[in-house]
Amino acid sequence: MNRFARWGFALAVLPIAACASNPPPPPPAAPPGPPPLASADASFVTGAAQGGMTEIQEAQLAQKTSHNARIKAYAARMITDHTNADDQLKQLAMTKNATVPTAVNDAQMQEISKLQGETGRKFDHDYVADNIAGHQQQVVLFQTESQGGTDPDLKKFASDTLPTIQSHLDQATALAGTHKGMMHHHHKKAAS
């Protein structure tokens, strides 16, 4: 009886001894995250995201406020194109572990607020003027990134998107010419 008791005790101790001598392997180390973006690339992400948000918010105002069919059509294109570009940028930034702003900057908010208080031809004029200025800045931003950026994926995004941004600027400039012509015709008619 004593012999069986001793064997039982020895068997009970064995698993504990085995665990003590062979600890479980540590969990595999998490793969290293992507390296932080270079400051110029990070600035591009911020500038592109905030510029796109500004264009979308101003275009939404134009769709509600303007009575000019060409401006409303232009605004619809801004919403579609910038929403697509912003979605691509967000997905790309996520793979880079980069921070994407969720709001426009103070100067852009002032532009949007100014438009919110306007109607009629004043709104149309200032909306088009804001689009020309905003897209001029965006063209420079996207050109700089496409030519001198560090991250190859962001450089490709900038290169691929640049023609769209340039076409927005060209269309806004054409609208400004049409708008000036309309204003000139309006004043001439009023004076006669």
Side-chain angles (χ1 to χ4, degrees), residues 156-169:
K156 184 177 187 308
F157 168 77
S159 297
D160 291 347
T161 311
L162 181 57
T164 300
I165 304 295
Q166 182 64 58
S167 71
H168 291 171
L169 174 58

Side-chain angles (χ1 to χ4, degrees), residues 17-43:
C19 288
S21 61
N22 296 304
L37 288 177
S39 60
D41 291 331
S43 295

